[in-house]
Amino acid sequence: MSLAFDEYGRPFIILREQERKSRVKGIEAVKASIMAAKTVARTLRSSLGPKGMDKMLQSPDGDVTITNDGATILEMMEVENQIGKLMVELSKSQDHEIGDGTTGVVVLAGALLEHAESLLDMGMHPLRIAEGYELACKVATENLDNIKTRFEFSREDIEPLVKTCMTTLSSKVVGRLKRPMAEICVKAVLAVADLERRDVNLDLIKVEGKVGGKMEDTRLVEGIVIDKEFSHPQMPKELRDVKVAILTCPFEPPKPKTKHKVDIDTVEKFEALREAERTYFTDMVQRCKDSGAQLVICQWGFDDEANHLLMHQNLPAVRWVGGVEIELLAMATGARIVPRFQELTADKLGFAGSVKELGFGTTKDKMLVIEGCPNLKAVTIFVRGGNRMVLDEIKRSLHDAICVARNLVRDNAIVYGGGAAEISCALAVEEAADKVTGVEHYAMRAFSDALQAVPLALAENSGLPPIESLTAVKKRQLQESNPYLGIDCNDTGTNDMREQNVFETVIGKKQQLFLATQVCKMILKIDDVIKPSDFE
């Protein structure tokens, strides 16, 4: 693209390969962007809340996913439009930072842009709208700080954390089992949490699943589950109080790194080669035995002869264990990862209270459960489900709940859900807008109306009359100055979210407001779109 001037000094733009490009500029460009973002937001709107619907997505290679997790839906939708991709990125940002609220943030951004469109029709400049939104966002986040309450919890008193995780799980496929599932997630987070530093390393929580059984069979393993079995079928299937050796060297004869050729022309030479190999294997197994190891876990494979010798020496072994699992096992058992057999000594062994091989129904699938480890720094949530799609959705649901528990360990401030926080912020923004002179006043009012899109969607998805439900709650919040009143999605007969135990984390809500406002500002600032034409 280059700038040129005609003979009268008037500027005009020359585009390279102009006939192959289409161009939209000015207010049309802003409206086209808003239209794309609104379409994406509308897709997710029906997935919001405890009564939200699921989406079924099929990938190009035929894999089917059923989910109501906003980030997953948008990721698998393969959105082509560039503005649509911004909404996908918005949802991903919320997922990476907070882990929950991925649907709500897109619905909010869509509503903000929808209200911005009517302001543009009034002739308002896009940047003035963006500035008004920034002011309103600041007022809303300050209001969240005013209405938040703090949850005090400890390793003994986990009830506050469980209640908040139950809110997250109520809109998921595991809704009917939200209590036991929430307890599993909280216990897993607290097992690996460093409460002094208020930090949780989620890499130490492994979520492993196996198709079959029922959701109720999901359990927390205070140790590690690995998708492997003992290397020899005749090895014992259960071990108690064992010393564990973790190796990253293979039970195989050494291989020269250069190309080599061995000429064997007599029986004696062949026998000598076999004898050398056997000695090599016997030496390896003996070193493991001498160190006092009662279970060998190896990152690489075994030669058949080595496997046979291990079996005869009554030394159970597991092979082809992945690098991540090796590290988690080392943390849990207290073992050192040994790269060479020569370095294997008794002080580098770990300890496990029990090692069991689990079978599943009539399938040949086996898994190893390693429990009773001295350092409970790594835990596994073992999930069961009727089919692969349900299993994947349970894993996504538990990930959201784990993230919520992690956020509460970091910052234990909460606000009340069911749209209560949004209505309270909308009222605060409305009040602040009256004190603002200038055109930003209109933008702030639009922000206030957009915040109410979340409770409206909640009411609509729950089968309630949306406008009547919202106005009734809003009226009560104003009259009673009670920021805990929200939409009664579960039809329990009360709008007080404290009684319904519907909580959300403050950092999650703030992040939603910040991200939605930023994306709206970015979209409103686009006034010229040059892209390859659809028709060549």
PDB file of all heavy atoms in Angstrom, residues 90 105 108-109 112-113 129-138 140-141 447 451 510-524:
ATOM      1  N   LEU A  90      -9.931 -14.190  23.090  1.00  0.00           N
ATOM      2  CA  LEU A  90     -10.464 -13.633  24.349  1.00  0.00           C
ATOM      3  C   LEU A  90     -10.830 -14.766  25.301  1.00  0.00           C
ATOM      4  O   LEU A  90     -10.473 -14.755  26.489  1.00  0.00           O
ATOM      5  CB  LEU A  90     -11.707 -12.781  24.017  1.00  0.00           C
ATOM      6  CG  LEU A  90     -12.613 -12.361  25.162  1.00  0.00           C
ATOM      7  CD1 LEU A  90     -11.907 -11.321  26.016  1.00  0.00           C
ATOM      8  CD2 LEU A  90     -13.927 -11.796  24.654  1.00  0.00           C
ATOM      9  N   VAL A 105     -17.386 -14.351  29.502  1.00  0.00           N
ATOM     10  CA  VAL A 105     -16.575 -13.234  28.994  1.00  0.00           C
ATOM     11  C   VAL A 105     -16.927 -12.928  27.531  1.00  0.00           C
ATOM     12  O   VAL A 105     -16.977 -11.772  27.113  1.00  0.00           O
ATOM     13  CB  VAL A 105     -15.056 -13.521  29.179  1.00  0.00           C
ATOM     14  CG1 VAL A 105     -14.547 -14.588  28.244  1.00  0.00           C
ATOM     15  CG2 VAL A 105     -14.241 -12.258  28.993  1.00  0.00           C
ATOM     16  N   LEU A 108     -20.401 -11.241  27.444  1.00  0.00           N
ATOM     17  CA  LEU A 108     -20.282  -9.847  27.882  1.00  0.00           C
ATOM     18  C   LEU A 108     -19.687  -8.975  26.772  1.00  0.00           C
ATOM     19  O   LEU A 108     -20.190  -7.876  26.493  1.00  0.00           O
ATOM     20  CB  LEU A 108     -19.417  -9.777  29.149  1.00  0.00           C
ATOM     21  CG  LEU A 108     -19.169  -8.393  29.744  1.00  0.00           C
ATOM     22  CD1 LEU A 108     -20.486  -7.699  30.089  1.00  0.00           C
ATOM     23  CD2 LEU A 108     -18.286  -8.480  30.985  1.00  0.00           C
ATOM     24  N   ALA A 109     -18.627  -9.467  26.121  1.00  0.00           N
ATOM     25  CA  ALA A 109     -18.000  -8.699  25.034  1.00  0.00           C
ATOM     26  C   ALA A 109     -18.988  -8.488  23.886  1.00  0.00           C
ATOM     27  O   ALA A 109     -19.070  -7.388  23.319  1.00  0.00           O
ATOM     28  CB  ALA A 109     -16.759  -9.429  24.532  1.00  0.00           C
ATOM     29  N   LEU A 112     -21.453  -5.772  24.910  1.00  0.00           N
ATOM     30  CA  LEU A 112     -20.832  -4.438  24.878  1.00  0.00           C
ATOM     31  C   LEU A 112     -20.779  -3.902  23.451  1.00  0.00           C
ATOM     32  O   LEU A 112     -21.083  -2.731  23.194  1.00  0.00           O
ATOM     33  CB  LEU A 112     -19.405  -4.502  25.450  1.00  0.00           C
ATOM     34  CG  LEU A 112     -19.270  -4.650  26.978  1.00  0.00           C
ATOM     35  CD1 LEU A 112     -17.832  -4.932  27.352  1.00  0.00           C
ATOM     36  CD2 LEU A 112     -19.759  -3.407  27.696  1.00  0.00           C
ATOM     37  N   LEU A 113     -20.427  -4.774  22.517  1.00  0.00           N
ATOM     38  CA  LEU A 113     -20.344  -4.345  21.114  1.00  0.00           C
ATOM     39  C   LEU A 113     -21.732  -4.064  20.534  1.00  0.00           C
ATOM     40  O   LEU A 113     -21.907  -3.153  19.727  1.00  0.00           O
ATOM     41  CB  LEU A 113     -19.623  -5.412  20.284  1.00  0.00           C
ATOM     42  CG  LEU A 113     -18.108  -5.498  20.555  1.00  0.00           C
ATOM     43  CD1 LEU A 113     -17.526  -6.759  19.964  1.00  0.00           C
ATOM     44  CD2 LEU A 113     -17.394  -4.285  19.992  1.00  0.00           C
ATOM     45  N   ILE A 129     -16.684   6.186  22.704  1.00  0.00           N
ATOM     46  CA  ILE A 129     -17.389   5.019  23.278  1.00  0.00           C
ATOM     47  C   ILE A 129     -16.391   4.181  24.080  1.00  0.00           C
ATOM     48  O   ILE A 129     -16.650   3.792  25.220  1.00  0.00           O
ATOM     49  CB  ILE A 129     -18.034   4.152  22.165  1.00  0.00           C
ATOM     50  CG1 ILE A 129     -19.054   4.964  21.368  1.00  0.00           C
ATOM     51  CG2 ILE A 129     -18.695   2.905  22.760  1.00  0.00           C
ATOM     52  CD1 ILE A 129     -19.596   4.259  20.133  1.00  0.00           C
ATOM     53  N   ALA A 130     -15.205   3.928  23.471  1.00  0.00           N
ATOM     54  CA  ALA A 130     -14.175   3.112  24.138  1.00  0.00           C
ATOM     55  C   ALA A 130     -13.738   3.752  25.454  1.00  0.00           C
ATOM     56  O   ALA A 130     -13.573   3.072  26.470  1.00  0.00           O
ATOM     57  CB  ALA A 130     -12.976   2.937  23.204  1.00  0.00           C
ATOM     58  N   GLU A 131     -13.606   5.095  25.454  1.00  0.00           N
ATOM     59  CA  GLU A 131     -13.199   5.794  26.690  1.00  0.00           C
ATOM     60  C   GLU A 131     -14.278   5.670  27.759  1.00  0.00           C
ATOM     61  O   GLU A 131     -13.978   5.476  28.940  1.00  0.00           O
ATOM     62  CB  GLU A 131     -12.922   7.270  26.379  1.00  0.00           C
ATOM     63  CG  GLU A 131     -11.560   7.494  25.726  1.00  0.00           C
ATOM     64  CD  GLU A 131     -11.447   8.862  25.076  1.00  0.00           C
ATOM     65  OE1 GLU A 131     -12.265   9.755  25.408  1.00  0.00           O
ATOM     66  OE2 GLU A 131     -10.560   9.039  24.225  1.00  0.00           O
ATOM     67  N   GLY A 132     -15.531   5.789  27.326  1.00  0.00           N
ATOM     68  CA  GLY A 132     -16.649   5.618  28.266  1.00  0.00           C
ATOM     69  C   GLY A 132     -16.669   4.223  28.872  1.00  0.00           C
ATOM     70  O   GLY A 132     -16.894   4.049  30.074  1.00  0.00           O
ATOM     71  N   TYR A 133     -16.383   3.230  28.022  1.00  0.00           N
ATOM     72  CA  TYR A 133     -16.328   1.838  28.509  1.00  0.00           C
ATOM     73  C   TYR A 133     -15.206   1.656  29.523  1.00  0.00           C
ATOM     74  O   TYR A 133     -15.366   0.939  30.515  1.00  0.00           O
ATOM     75  CB  TYR A 133     -16.126   0.882  27.328  1.00  0.00           C
ATOM     76  CG  TYR A 133     -17.405   0.526  26.577  1.00  0.00           C
ATOM     77  CD1 TYR A 133     -18.630   1.058  26.939  1.00  0.00           C
ATOM     78  CD2 TYR A 133     -17.374  -0.362  25.496  1.00  0.00           C
ATOM     79  CE1 TYR A 133     -19.783   0.738  26.258  1.00  0.00           C
ATOM     80  CE2 TYR A 133     -18.536  -0.700  24.803  1.00  0.00           C
ATOM     81  CZ  TYR A 133     -19.734  -0.145  25.194  1.00  0.00           C
ATOM     82  OH  TYR A 133     -20.892  -0.477  24.525  1.00  0.00           O
ATOM     83  N   GLU A 134     -14.062   2.306  29.274  1.00  0.00           N
ATOM     84  CA  GLU A 134     -12.929   2.195  30.212  1.00  0.00           C
ATOM     85  C   GLU A 134     -13.309   2.774  31.582  1.00  0.00           C
ATOM     86  O   GLU A 134     -13.005   2.183  32.619  1.00  0.00           O
ATOM     87  CB  GLU A 134     -11.724   2.966  29.658  1.00  0.00           C
ATOM     88  CG  GLU A 134     -11.133   2.370  28.412  1.00  0.00           C
ATOM     89  CD  GLU A 134      -9.938   1.480  28.690  1.00  0.00           C
ATOM     90  OE1 GLU A 134      -9.017   1.934  29.379  1.00  0.00           O
ATOM     91  OE2 GLU A 134      -9.951   0.331  28.230  1.00  0.00           O
ATOM     92  N   LEU A 135     -13.966   3.936  31.557  1.00  0.00           N
ATOM     93  CA  LEU A 135     -14.412   4.556  32.821  1.00  0.00           C
ATOM     94  C   LEU A 135     -15.383   3.635  33.554  1.00  0.00           C
ATOM     95  O   LEU A 135     -15.290   3.425  34.769  1.00  0.00           O
ATOM     96  CB  LEU A 135     -15.121   5.898  32.533  1.00  0.00           C
ATOM     97  CG  LEU A 135     -14.239   7.097  32.170  1.00  0.00           C
ATOM     98  CD1 LEU A 135     -15.115   8.263  31.720  1.00  0.00           C
ATOM     99  CD2 LEU A 135     -13.412   7.525  33.388  1.00  0.00           C
ATOM    100  N   ALA A 136     -16.337   3.072  32.785  1.00  0.00           N
ATOM    101  CA  ALA A 136     -17.354   2.206  33.389  1.00  0.00           C
ATOM    102  C   ALA A 136     -16.719   0.945  33.954  1.00  0.00           C
ATOM    103  O   ALA A 136     -17.098   0.474  35.037  1.00  0.00           O
ATOM    104  CB  ALA A 136     -18.400   1.838  32.330  1.00  0.00           C
ATOM    105  N   CYS A 137     -15.718   0.409  33.259  1.00  0.00           N
ATOM    106  CA  CYS A 137     -15.035  -0.808  33.721  1.00  0.00           C
ATOM    107  C   CYS A 137     -14.336  -0.544  35.056  1.00  0.00           C
ATOM    108  O   CYS A 137     -14.370  -1.378  35.962  1.00  0.00           O
ATOM    109  CB  CYS A 137     -14.022  -1.261  32.671  1.00  0.00           C
ATOM    110  SG  CYS A 137     -13.111  -2.733  33.136  1.00  0.00           S
ATOM    111  N   LYS A 138     -13.746   0.647  35.168  1.00  0.00           N
ATOM    112  CA  LYS A 138     -13.073   1.023  36.417  1.00  0.00           C
ATOM    113  C   LYS A 138     -14.075   1.089  37.572  1.00  0.00           C
ATOM    114  O   LYS A 138     -13.827   0.587  38.670  1.00  0.00           O
ATOM    115  CB  LYS A 138     -12.403   2.394  36.212  1.00  0.00           C
ATOM    116  CG  LYS A 138     -11.396   2.750  37.283  1.00  0.00           C
ATOM    117  CD  LYS A 138     -10.724   4.080  36.984  1.00  0.00           C
ATOM    118  CE  LYS A 138      -9.834   4.497  38.139  1.00  0.00           C
ATOM    119  NZ  LYS A 138      -9.347   5.856  37.990  1.00  0.00           N
ATOM    120  N   ALA A 140     -16.957  -0.484  37.721  1.00  0.00           N
ATOM    121  CA  ALA A 140     -17.470  -1.839  37.987  1.00  0.00           C
ATOM    122  C   ALA A 140     -16.484  -2.641  38.839  1.00  0.00           C
ATOM    123  O   ALA A 140     -16.897  -3.329  39.777  1.00  0.00           O
ATOM    124  CB  ALA A 140     -17.741  -2.554  36.665  1.00  0.00           C
ATOM    125  N   THR A 141     -15.177  -2.539  38.528  1.00  0.00           N
ATOM    126  CA  THR A 141     -14.196  -3.309  39.302  1.00  0.00           C
ATOM    127  C   THR A 141     -14.077  -2.764  40.730  1.00  0.00           C
ATOM    128  O   THR A 141     -13.905  -3.537  41.672  1.00  0.00           O
ATOM    129  CB  THR A 141     -12.802  -3.293  38.621  1.00  0.00           C
ATOM    130  OG1 THR A 141     -12.469  -1.961  38.269  1.00  0.00           O
ATOM    131  CG2 THR A 141     -12.784  -4.162  37.392  1.00  0.00           C
ATOM    132  N   PHE A 447     -22.667   0.493  28.827  1.00  0.00           N
ATOM    133  CA  PHE A 447     -21.902  -0.536  29.551  1.00  0.00           C
ATOM    134  C   PHE A 447     -22.779  -1.164  30.634  1.00  0.00           C
ATOM    135  O   PHE A 447     -22.794  -2.385  30.811  1.00  0.00           O
ATOM    136  CB  PHE A 447     -20.670   0.117  30.188  1.00  0.00           C
ATOM    137  CG  PHE A 447     -19.658  -0.856  30.731  1.00  0.00           C
ATOM    138  CD1 PHE A 447     -18.557  -1.223  29.983  1.00  0.00           C
ATOM    139  CD2 PHE A 447     -19.802  -1.404  32.001  1.00  0.00           C
ATOM    140  CE1 PHE A 447     -17.614  -2.118  30.480  1.00  0.00           C
ATOM    141  CE2 PHE A 447     -18.882  -2.292  32.513  1.00  0.00           C
ATOM    142  CZ  PHE A 447     -17.781  -2.653  31.747  1.00  0.00           C
ATOM    143  N   LEU A 451     -23.904  -5.120  30.861  1.00  0.00           N
ATOM    144  CA  LEU A 451     -23.650  -6.006  32.002  1.00  0.00           C
ATOM    145  C   LEU A 451     -24.873  -6.864  32.324  1.00  0.00           C
ATOM    146  O   LEU A 451     -24.754  -7.993  32.798  1.00  0.00           O
ATOM    147  CB  LEU A 451     -23.272  -5.181  33.243  1.00  0.00           C
ATOM    148  CG  LEU A 451     -21.823  -4.706  33.331  1.00  0.00           C
ATOM    149  CD1 LEU A 451     -21.670  -3.737  34.485  1.00  0.00           C
ATOM    150  CD2 LEU A 451     -20.875  -5.881  33.538  1.00  0.00           C
ATOM    151  N   LYS A 510     -13.272  -9.964  37.753  1.00  0.00           N
ATOM    152  CA  LYS A 510     -12.509  -8.776  37.317  1.00  0.00           C
ATOM    153  C   LYS A 510     -11.852  -9.029  35.962  1.00  0.00           C
ATOM    154  O   LYS A 510     -11.865  -8.171  35.083  1.00  0.00           O
ATOM    155  CB  LYS A 510     -11.428  -8.444  38.357  1.00  0.00           C
ATOM    156  CG  LYS A 510     -11.933  -7.656  39.545  1.00  0.00           C
ATOM    157  CD  LYS A 510     -10.747  -7.246  40.396  1.00  0.00           C
ATOM    158  CE  LYS A 510     -11.207  -6.440  41.593  1.00  0.00           C
ATOM    159  NZ  LYS A 510     -10.092  -6.104  42.476  1.00  0.00           N
ATOM    160  N   GLN A 511     -11.299 -10.230  35.830  1.00  0.00           N
ATOM    161  CA  GLN A 511     -10.626 -10.574  34.569  1.00  0.00           C
ATOM    162  C   GLN A 511     -11.618 -10.522  33.403  1.00  0.00           C
ATOM    163  O   GLN A 511     -11.292 -10.057  32.320  1.00  0.00           O
ATOM    164  CB  GLN A 511     -10.011 -11.979  34.699  1.00  0.00           C
ATOM    165  CG  GLN A 511      -9.091 -12.372  33.566  1.00  0.00           C
ATOM    166  CD  GLN A 511      -7.750 -11.685  33.621  1.00  0.00           C
ATOM    167  OE1 GLN A 511      -7.422 -11.032  34.592  1.00  0.00           O
ATOM    168  NE2 GLN A 511      -6.967 -11.808  32.569  1.00  0.00           N
ATOM    169  N   GLN A 512     -12.843 -10.999  33.650  1.00  0.00           N
ATOM    170  CA  GLN A 512     -13.887 -10.948  32.608  1.00  0.00           C
ATOM    171  C   GLN A 512     -14.133  -9.509  32.156  1.00  0.00           C
ATOM    172  O   GLN A 512     -14.180  -9.222  30.959  1.00  0.00           O
ATOM    173  CB  GLN A 512     -15.200 -11.537  33.144  1.00  0.00           C
ATOM    174  CG  GLN A 512     -15.275 -13.043  33.061  1.00  0.00           C
ATOM    175  CD  GLN A 512     -16.672 -13.540  33.397  1.00  0.00           C
ATOM    176  OE1 GLN A 512     -17.514 -12.820  33.922  1.00  0.00           O
ATOM    177  NE2 GLN A 512     -16.928 -14.797  33.105  1.00  0.00           N
ATOM    178  N   LEU A 513     -14.281  -8.610  33.133  1.00  0.00           N
ATOM    179  CA  LEU A 513     -14.563  -7.204  32.805  1.00  0.00           C
ATOM    180  C   LEU A 513     -13.393  -6.572  32.044  1.00  0.00           C
ATOM    181  O   LEU A 513     -13.584  -5.909  31.025  1.00  0.00           O
ATOM    182  CB  LEU A 513     -14.844  -6.408  34.081  1.00  0.00           C
ATOM    183  CG  LEU A 513     -16.151  -6.719  34.812  1.00  0.00           C
ATOM    184  CD1 LEU A 513     -16.179  -6.028  36.168  1.00  0.00           C
ATOM    185  CD2 LEU A 513     -17.352  -6.286  33.991  1.00  0.00           C
ATOM    186  N   PHE A 514     -12.176  -6.806  32.544  1.00  0.00           N
ATOM    187  CA  PHE A 514     -10.991  -6.216  31.887  1.00  0.00           C
ATOM    188  C   PHE A 514     -10.856  -6.706  30.451  1.00  0.00           C
ATOM    189  O   PHE A 514     -10.684  -5.918  29.521  1.00  0.00           O
ATOM    190  CB  PHE A 514      -9.702  -6.581  32.653  1.00  0.00           C
ATOM    191  CG  PHE A 514      -9.530  -5.839  33.954  1.00  0.00           C
ATOM    192  CD1 PHE A 514      -9.056  -6.490  35.090  1.00  0.00           C
ATOM    193  CD2 PHE A 514      -9.833  -4.489  34.038  1.00  0.00           C
ATOM    194  CE1 PHE A 514      -8.900  -5.814  36.293  1.00  0.00           C
ATOM    195  CE2 PHE A 514      -9.668  -3.795  35.238  1.00  0.00           C
ATOM    196  CZ  PHE A 514      -9.202  -4.461  36.357  1.00  0.00           C
ATOM    197  N   LEU A 515     -10.930  -8.036  30.282  1.00  0.00           N
ATOM    198  CA  LEU A 515     -10.699  -8.612  28.958  1.00  0.00           C
ATOM    199  C   LEU A 515     -11.776  -8.193  27.962  1.00  0.00           C
ATOM    200  O   LEU A 515     -11.473  -7.819  26.827  1.00  0.00           O
ATOM    201  CB  LEU A 515     -10.649 -10.147  29.043  1.00  0.00           C
ATOM    202  CG  LEU A 515      -9.407 -10.751  29.690  1.00  0.00           C
ATOM    203  CD1 LEU A 515      -9.538 -12.256  29.809  1.00  0.00           C
ATOM    204  CD2 LEU A 515      -8.152 -10.432  28.895  1.00  0.00           C
ATOM    205  N   ALA A 516     -13.054  -8.226  28.396  1.00  0.00           N
ATOM    206  CA  ALA A 516     -14.153  -7.853  27.493  1.00  0.00           C
ATOM    207  C   ALA A 516     -14.019  -6.393  27.068  1.00  0.00           C
ATOM    208  O   ALA A 516     -14.202  -6.053  25.893  1.00  0.00           O
ATOM    209  CB  ALA A 516     -15.489  -8.098  28.179  1.00  0.00           C
ATOM    210  N   THR A 517     -13.666  -5.508  28.019  1.00  0.00           N
ATOM    211  CA  THR A 517     -13.515  -4.077  27.699  1.00  0.00           C
ATOM    212  C   THR A 517     -12.352  -3.851  26.730  1.00  0.00           C
ATOM    213  O   THR A 517     -12.467  -3.083  25.779  1.00  0.00           O
ATOM    214  CB  THR A 517     -13.285  -3.260  28.997  1.00  0.00           C
ATOM    215  OG1 THR A 517     -14.290  -3.621  29.939  1.00  0.00           O
ATOM    216  CG2 THR A 517     -13.355  -1.783  28.749  1.00  0.00           C
ATOM    217  N   GLN A 518     -11.238  -4.554  26.972  1.00  0.00           N
ATOM    218  CA  GLN A 518     -10.068  -4.395  26.097  1.00  0.00           C
ATOM    219  C   GLN A 518     -10.377  -4.825  24.669  1.00  0.00           C
ATOM    220  O   GLN A 518     -10.004  -4.148  23.711  1.00  0.00           O
ATOM    221  CB  GLN A 518      -8.902  -5.233  26.628  1.00  0.00           C
ATOM    222  CG  GLN A 518      -8.172  -4.583  27.790  1.00  0.00           C
ATOM    223  CD  GLN A 518      -7.200  -5.540  28.456  1.00  0.00           C
ATOM    224  OE1 GLN A 518      -6.877  -6.592  27.909  1.00  0.00           O
ATOM    225  NE2 GLN A 518      -6.761  -5.196  29.646  1.00  0.00           N
ATOM    226  N   VAL A 519     -11.053  -5.970  24.536  1.00  0.00           N
ATOM    227  CA  VAL A 519     -11.371  -6.473  23.193  1.00  0.00           C
ATOM    228  C   VAL A 519     -12.324  -5.514  22.477  1.00  0.00           C
ATOM    229  O   VAL A 519     -12.161  -5.232  21.284  1.00  0.00           O
ATOM    230  CB  VAL A 519     -11.963  -7.901  23.272  1.00  0.00           C
ATOM    231  CG1 VAL A 519     -12.644  -8.290  21.972  1.00  0.00           C
ATOM    232  CG2 VAL A 519     -10.854  -8.885  23.556  1.00  0.00           C
ATOM    233  N   CYS A 520     -13.311  -4.970  23.205  1.00  0.00           N
ATOM    234  CA  CYS A 520     -14.249  -4.006  22.601  1.00  0.00           C
ATOM    235  C   CYS A 520     -13.490  -2.760  22.115  1.00  0.00           C
ATOM    236  O   CYS A 520     -13.749  -2.272  21.016  1.00  0.00           O
ATOM    237  CB  CYS A 520     -15.298  -3.577  23.613  1.00  0.00           C
ATOM    238  SG  CYS A 520     -16.437  -4.877  23.932  1.00  0.00           S
ATOM    239  N   LYS A 521     -12.577  -2.291  22.948  1.00  0.00           N
ATOM    240  CA  LYS A 521     -11.803  -1.099  22.572  1.00  0.00           C
ATOM    241  C   LYS A 521     -11.014  -1.371  21.294  1.00  0.00           C
ATOM    242  O   LYS A 521     -10.972  -0.553  20.373  1.00  0.00           O
ATOM    243  CB  LYS A 521     -10.860  -0.729  23.725  1.00  0.00           C
ATOM    244  CG  LYS A 521     -10.192   0.634  23.528  1.00  0.00           C
ATOM    245  CD  LYS A 521      -9.398   1.053  24.751  1.00  0.00           C
ATOM    246  CE  LYS A 521      -8.738   2.405  24.519  1.00  0.00           C
ATOM    247  NZ  LYS A 521      -7.917   2.826  25.641  1.00  0.00           N
ATOM    248  N   MET A 522     -10.406  -2.567  21.241  1.00  0.00           N
ATOM    249  CA  MET A 522      -9.605  -2.923  20.065  1.00  0.00           C
ATOM    250  C   MET A 522     -10.478  -2.972  18.802  1.00  0.00           C
ATOM    251  O   MET A 522     -10.105  -2.443  17.755  1.00  0.00           O
ATOM    252  CB  MET A 522      -8.953  -4.291  20.301  1.00  0.00           C
ATOM    253  CG  MET A 522      -8.026  -4.719  19.190  1.00  0.00           C
ATOM    254  SD  MET A 522      -7.409  -6.370  19.474  1.00  0.00           S
ATOM    255  CE  MET A 522      -6.111  -6.048  20.622  1.00  0.00           C
ATOM    256  N   ILE A 523     -11.674  -3.589  18.925  1.00  0.00           N
ATOM    257  CA  ILE A 523     -12.555  -3.731  17.752  1.00  0.00           C
ATOM    258  C   ILE A 523     -13.101  -2.366  17.316  1.00  0.00           C
ATOM    259  O   ILE A 523     -13.183  -2.063  16.131  1.00  0.00           O
ATOM    260  CB  ILE A 523     -13.689  -4.743  18.058  1.00  0.00           C
ATOM    261  CG1 ILE A 523     -13.093  -6.150  18.187  1.00  0.00           C
ATOM    262  CG2 ILE A 523     -14.770  -4.708  16.975  1.00  0.00           C
ATOM    263  CD1 ILE A 523     -14.055  -7.213  18.667  1.00  0.00           C
ATOM    264  N   LEU A 524     -13.428  -1.509  18.288  1.00  0.00           N
ATOM    265  CA  LEU A 524     -13.992  -0.190  17.954  1.00  0.00           C
ATOM    266  C   LEU A 524     -12.957   0.712  17.263  1.00  0.00           C
ATOM    267  O   LEU A 524     -13.317   1.630  16.531  1.00  0.00           O
ATOM    268  CB  LEU A 524     -14.514   0.501  19.213  1.00  0.00           C
ATOM    269  CG  LEU A 524     -15.812  -0.076  19.789  1.00  0.00           C
ATOM    270  CD1 LEU A 524     -16.094   0.523  21.162  1.00  0.00           C
ATOM    271  CD2 LEU A 524     -16.987   0.174  18.862  1.00  0.00           C
TER     272      LEU A 524
END
